[in-house]
Every structure is written in C-alpha cells, then in structure tokens.
Amino acid sequence: MKLLKLVIVDDEPILLQGLMETYDWKGMGFEIVGTAQSGEQAIRVIQETRPHVVLTDIRMKQITGLMVMEEIQKTDLDCIFIVLSAYRDFEYAQQACDLGAYAYLLKPIEDDKLCETMRGAYETCIKQIKEEEKIESWEKLLLKDSTSFLQVIVQKYVQNRISQEKAEEVFDTLGNVLEEGDRFISVCVDIDLAYKITNSLDYEASRFAVMKSLEEMIEEKYFFWKLENETGNAVFIVKTKENTSVHELKAMLEYVKKEEGRPVVASISKPYKGIAGIKRSYEEASQLFGLASASGASAFTIPDDMEEKMGRAEAQDAVMMVVNAVRKNDGDELKETFVYFIYSLPKEEEQQLSYIHRVMLQTEFMLKDSYGMTEELKKKFQNLYSNLMNLSGAKAVDVAYKILLDTIEVRRKLAEKDEAKYFKEYMSVAVAYIEEHLNDENLSIVSVATHIYLNPVYFGRVFKNTFHMTFKKYLLQQRMEKAKRLLENGDASIGNICEQVGISNPSYFSHLFKQYTGKLPSEYKKEYEI
C-alpha cells in the first residue's frame, strides 16, 4: 500500500501525542510527516511538507482550524482537511464543511469512525493522484505529437470515454486551439447502406471516393477532425466562425453526391460554441443521420427552433406528437415531429427500442380506433415487433419511420374514397366539443380541428360535406338555438345569455338573433311569458 502524507494539528500536547501514538496510521495508509500545536505552526508545516491529508482540531487559540483552512486555500496546495470537534463546537464544524472539509469527527473519537473516515480520504486521494498521473502522461504525449493526440482526445470525448473537464484541460495545455467565436459543426456522412446490398463489389470503392472528395473540399476552407461514430459512419467535426458554414457544407455534400453519382446520405448539425459544442454537434449529427437515411435526404439539418421546443418536450410528449401527425395524415408534420421524437430518446439503446415500440403501439391503437389498419399494414407492424430486439436503435428508427409514412399514405387513400365513413367519429367528437364550448367567444374552426387532430382546411371541407353547411353557419345556428331555449325558460337575463352563447356584445347578439329568428330577444322572450 502506497503511504500518503498526513499532518496532525492540536494545541493540547497530550491529545496530540495521543493521536500520534494511539492509532495504526500506516495500517490506514498514512505516514505522519508533521505535527503542529498552533494554527500558525500548522500553516508553516503544511506548506513545508505538502501533505495529502490534514487532521486538525477546530478550536485553537489565536488562529483556529477554520483560519488554517482558509489560508491553505489561498495557496496552490490541494489537501484534504478532516476536522476534530467537541459537541459545543458544532457550529464551527458546520463552517468547516462549508469551507470544503472532507469530514468532521466528534471528540472523543470513535476508533471505527476514524478508520472509516481515513479509508475514505485515502481512496479519494489515490483517485486524484491517478488522475493527475494520467494528465501528466497526456502532456508528455502532447509534446511528441499534438495533432494526432488531439484527434484521439476529441474521439474519446465525443464517445463519452473522457469527461468534458479533462478535454478542456488538454485544450488549455495545447493553447491556441480554440479562439474567440469558434463554433463547431458536425457532418455525419456515408453511402446509403442499401447500395452496399445491391452493389457490394462497388460499395467500398465508392465510399472511399466520396470520403476523399469531401475531405479535400472541406480541407480547402476549414480546420476539421474526421472520426467514425459507433455505427461506422464518417463524422467531420468542422471548426468555423462563419454564419454561412452550414449552407456551404450542405452545398459541398450535394456537389460530391452529383459528381460521384452515388447515394450519399448525410446530416449536418447546427453550429455550437466551445468544447461542449464539439460533443453537442457530434451527437446531433449522429442522431439526425438515422432520420436522413429513412427519409432519403442527402443533407438533413435540424430546424432552427429545435432547441427551444425540445426544452419542453419529454419522451411521452414526443410519442403523442408523432401519433397525432399520423392521425392528421400529415407527412410534413410527421417528419418534423419524428425529429423531436429522436431527440427525446434516451441514450441507452434498449430504452430507445422500448420507446420506438411504444410509439408504434400507440399508432396501432389509434388506427384501430379510427381507420387505416389494413392487413398489409398489420403485417408490417407485427414484423417490426417480432424483429425489434434484433435491430440497432438507428435501424429501428429507419424502419419505424417508413412504416409510419406508409400508414399515412394508406389512410389518405382510404379517406379519399369515403370521407363520410371514416370521419363519422371525428364529426361526433367535434359536435360534442362545440356544444360543450359554446360559451367560449374564441371557439373557432381552428380550435375544434386542433381538438380532433385534423388540418383546419381539411376539417372544414369534411364538416361541410357531412352537415351540408359551413362550420361558421353551424356554430351560429347552435348558439342561436341555445339562446332560444334560454329565453323560453325565462330565467336568464340577456347579459347572462350572451355569456352562455359566447357573444359578449349584447347589441351584436340582438342583431344576430333578429337575423336568425326575425325577432329581437326581448320580443321572443315575451311570447313565452305567462
């Protein structure tokens, strides 16, 4: 066992001698390198011996244990403080903990408690020493080959094999790698995997040609690191200060795709600042790559408002957003919400598959409750469920997205054939919602369509075909009929009736009522008075 350095401080000589001789410090992993009987002496001894751990009494004359801690914190020394306190010194102990003390022990000291605390302090110190040794070895390697070393560090950082703190230390050691205003954009790119299946002999040669051409084009204008992600796709992490870089990189991808004549699939992140931005852009591009593969996009980018919206979206919310897009038969909305869904997925692949299973089940339930679950679609859903655990997260995303697109296409075709049949239930829900919210002055075709998950324009057309009148005319009819019933009962005032039918202006209400019935509300009410 490697012995760490220990300094013991107590202003009572007998207690100090007892601490030194009573306990098996070597057995706990420590060697006493100094002692002190005052705060002033303690500061000097600690600075001279540079111990790993200091065991100090908290209350001493003139300079207390707290003051010793404060003075040492002003230096470059990094040692652990364990304070000793009597019950009457509890507030002192609390202050010591606020100053960063590792622990405090109550006098008289319990042997077991002391051993446990010292073992914990020993393990903490050893861990810190090993980390420092790693950094020293990194610095030595840096001096030999800084470019290659930095490439390795970036690869480990984005793959969560080293912390952001360690990556920042390396960048700080190198110096001049990052400048003010630097941002990072990641480009994840590969040949479509389907091409490998159909053109296996040409796949590797085509992939090499595409990567070489793209690398040469990026290198002409930008500094970058080229890595491979967990699924083997190439990722270019590009450093830039320019606002136009995303568009320029997208243009490069389109040019390479056209020149090489190969099915290039790629995703491009938004630009992000600093070292944290390196990982953020890498993760964003890698996540979007799966959707780019599924949608056939040659350069898939994230919407500008993604970050604001995703701050509010959680996994289950994202699931329902996808289901509702399918319910509306809206392919564009599905594409947008599926991006949100991907961003809500946990990092663990098993949990990703669980959420993909959930979104497909929710969609299947929606289809059974409404329309569109053909035998062919049913087979696709069942095939996905039975093979889901054999798929990677990225592949499962691809397959699920394609099935959802197929689902929308099937529902559209069915709806075109017989709107009345397939939208009967939607109209029932819409009518109930209108009846319940007649008192809402803001009730509109948009709010009702949103409630039943239909496009407002499409809802308006189906509504008119079903009821043989426009939504506006139907809403007015329902409000006037309710007003008639209320007037017939004779209990409510005109003002109260206005509130109940969602028309706040009494004069405007009277005008509409006379247009509808040929009588003013007061005239109509008199006919039912006894």
Side-chain angles (χ1 to χ4, degrees):
M1 176 186 285
K2 178 179 180 179
L3 294 181
L4 303 183
K5 294 187 287 185
L6 172 67
V7 166
I8 302 177
V9 182
D10 200 308
D11 61 351
E12 296 185 31
I14 295 176
L15 293 179
L16 177 62
Q17 192 70 23
L19 285 171
M20 293 171 57
E21 297 179 356
T22 302
Y23 302 101
D24 181 12
W25 295 109
K26 288 188 177 180
M28 289 185 275
F30 292 92
E31 176 186 8
I32 299 175
V33 295
T35 60
Q37 296 182 21
S38 69
E40 182 179 1
Q41 185 183 12
I43 294 171
R44 184 173 65 254
V45 170
I46 292 170
Q47 290 176 336
E48 290 174 355
T49 60
R50 305 181 72 87
H52 297 96
V53 175
V54 176
L55 183 66
T56 179
D57 187 14
I58 200 166
R59 175 174 288 188
M60 295 183 291
K61 298 176 183 178
Q62 295 182 335
I63 298 178
T64 66
L66 295 177
M67 297 168 68
V68 172
M69 292 179 66
E70 289 175 340
E71 286 301 312
I72 296 302
Q73 284 181 353
K74 296 175 184 178
T75 70
D76 63 342
L77 293 173
D78 187 15
C79 54
I80 287 177
F81 278 86
I82 298 172
V83 298
L84 303 177
S85 169
Y87 283 106
R88 63 181 180 277
D89 298 325
F90 185 74
E91 290 184 7
Y92 281 95
Q94 290 287 63
Q95 293 178 46
C97 290
D98 291 340
L99 286 170
Y102 177 79
Y104 74 90
L105 301 174
L106 297 176
K107 294 180 179 178
I109 303 172
E110 297 178 11
D111 292 355
D112 292 343
K113 185 66 176 177
L114 176 65
C115 291
E116 179 185 348
T117 301
M118 297 306 295
R119 278 198 299 269
Y122 182 87
E123 290 173 2
T124 299
C125 290
I126 290 296
K127 185 178 180 180
Q128 184 176 341
I129 290 169
K130 288 181 179 179
E131 291 294 330
E132 291 173 353
E133 288 174 350
K134 283 183 183 178
I135 293 174
E136 288 179 7
S137 64
W138 288 352
E139 291 175 347
K140 291 178 182 177
L141 182 58
L142 255 169
L143 296 174
K144 293 182 180 179
D145 190 348
S146 60
T147 303
S148 298
F149 179 71
L150 192 57
Q151 172 93 9
V152 172
I153 291 300
V154 171
Q155 176 102 35
K156 289 186 174 183
Y157 170 52
V158 298
Q159 293 178 352
N160 297 314
R161 292 158 61 192
I162 63 170
S163 66
Q164 180 177 324
E165 181 182 359
K166 296 305 178 186
E168 287 173 348
E169 289 178 7
V170 173
F171 275 81
D172 289 343
T173 301
L174 280 172
N176 300 321
V177 178
L178 293 182
E179 299 176 356
E180 185 70 26
D182 278 346
R183 295 183 294 175
F184 294 92
I185 301 168
S186 287
V187 181
C188 187
V189 59
D190 215 326
I191 300 290
D192 192 346
L193 192 60
Y195 188 80
K196 182 177 183 179
I197 298 171
T198 56
N199 300 273
S200 57
L201 295 176
D202 187 49
Y203 175 77
E204 290 298 338
S206 297
R207 190 172 188 269
F208 175 81
V210 166
M211 298 303 168
K212 187 173 185 297
S213 297
L214 185 60
E215 191 169 338
E216 289 174 352
M217 291 186 71
I218 296 176
E219 192 173 26
E220 286 181 5
K221 188 163 185 179
Y222 301 104
F223 173 84
F224 68 93
W225 297 293
K226 182 186 174 186
L227 317 172
E228 277 198 359
N229 64 14
E230 290 81 353
T231 54
N233 311 118
V235 180
F236 294 85
I237 301 178
V238 179
K239 186 173 77 167
T240 182
K241 286 186 171 70
E242 302 172 19
N243 294 326
T244 59
S245 297
V246 169
H247 298 291
E248 289 177 353
L249 290 166
K250 188 172 182 178
M252 291 180 188
L253 285 164
E254 296 293 346
Y255 177 82
V256 169
K257 179 182 178 182
K258 183 177 179 181
E259 286 297 304
E260 298 297 332
R262 297 292 182 266
V264 177
V265 179
S267 60
I268 306 173
S269 76
K270 291 168 65 176
Y272 295 106
K273 291 182 179 180
I275 293 176
I278 296 174
K279 180 184 285 189
R280 193 173 180 184
S281 70
Y282 171 88
E283 291 176 344
E284 184 173 291
S286 295
Q287 286 176 318
L288 288 173
F289 186 83
L291 186 54
S293 300
S295 64
S298 56
F300 199 90
T301 56
I302 191 167
D304 290 337
D305 61 350
M306 168 67 80
E307 294 306 314
E308 178 185 353
K309 291 183 179 179
M310 279 311 300
R312 300 190 299 270
E314 296 180 354
Q316 186 55 37
D317 296 324
V319 167
M320 294 314 301
M321 289 168 68
V322 171
V323 175
N324 290 335
V326 178
R327 191 196 304 268
K328 295 177 185 178
N329 300 338
D330 193 329
D332 291 336
E333 184 173 329
L334 174 64
K335 183 175 180 178
E336 179 182 346
T337 56
F338 212 77
V339 173
Y340 285 77
F341 172 67
I342 290 172
Y343 264 75
S344 75
L345 291 176
K347 292 184 178 180
E348 296 77 11
E349 188 167 90
E350 185 176 348
Q351 293 186 38
Q352 291 175 1
L353 295 175
S354 174
Y355 273 102
I356 292 168
H357 186 229
R358 183 180 303 180
V359 76
M360 299 306 286
L361 274 177
Q362 295 273 21
T363 303
E364 188 178 3
F365 293 153
M366 182 273 293
L367 294 177
K368 291 177 179 178
D369 289 340
S370 55
Y371 68 96
M373 182 52 86
T374 63
E375 285 300 319
E376 184 180 355
L377 273 180
K378 189 174 182 180
K379 285 182 181 178
K380 290 182 179 181
F381 276 84
Q382 292 303 321
N383 286 339
L384 175 61
Y385 299 152
S386 60
N387 291 286
L388 192 58
M389 300 313 295
N390 298 324
L391 298 175
S392 66
K395 190 62 179 176
V397 165
D398 293 353
V399 176
Y401 183 74
K402 288 174 182 176
I403 292 175
L404 295 176
L405 285 176
D406 290 345
T407 301
I408 288 177
E409 186 63 26
V410 168
R411 283 169 60 85
R412 281 177 177 169
K413 289 178 180 178
L414 289 172
E416 288 171 3
K417 289 180 181 179
D418 193 346
E419 284 184 345
K421 175 182 176 182
Y422 291 113
F423 288 97
K424 182 178 180 180
E425 184 178 346
Y426 284 89
M427 294 304 106
S428 298
V429 175
V431 167
Y433 185 81
I434 292 169
E435 182 66 26
E436 185 180 349
H437 293 83
L438 280 177
N439 63 332
D440 183 358
E441 189 174 356
N442 296 317
L443 185 64
S444 66
I445 191 170
V446 174
S447 61
V448 177
T450 301
H451 177 69
I452 61 174
Y453 306 105
L454 286 181
N455 178 281
V457 176
Y458 190 65
F459 167 67
R461 180 167 64 81
V462 175
F463 191 94
K464 186 176 181 180
N465 291 340
T466 303
F467 294 97
H468 308 293
M469 66 176 71
T470 64
F471 176 87
K472 185 176 180 181
K473 185 175 180 179
Y474 179 86
L475 179 59
L476 178 63
Q477 180 189 80
Q478 296 305 304
R479 280 175 163 159
M480 294 301 103
E481 289 298 324
K482 183 173 183 178
K484 285 169 63 178
R485 293 193 299 273
L486 292 169
L487 287 166
E488 290 168 9
N489 290 335
D491 297 330
S493 65
I494 299 299
N496 182 258
I497 292 172
C498 287
E499 290 180 5
Q500 292 191 55
V501 298
I503 302 173
S504 59
N505 188 313
S507 298
Y508 184 57
F509 167 71
S510 296
H511 170 73
L512 292 176
F513 191 85
K514 187 172 184 179
Q515 277 189 335
Y516 186 75
T517 65
K519 300 175 184 179
L520 290 170
S522 57
E523 295 171 343
Y524 188 87
K525 184 176 182 180
K526 283 182 180 180
E527 293 182 0
Y528 290 89
E529 291 178 349
I530 299 174

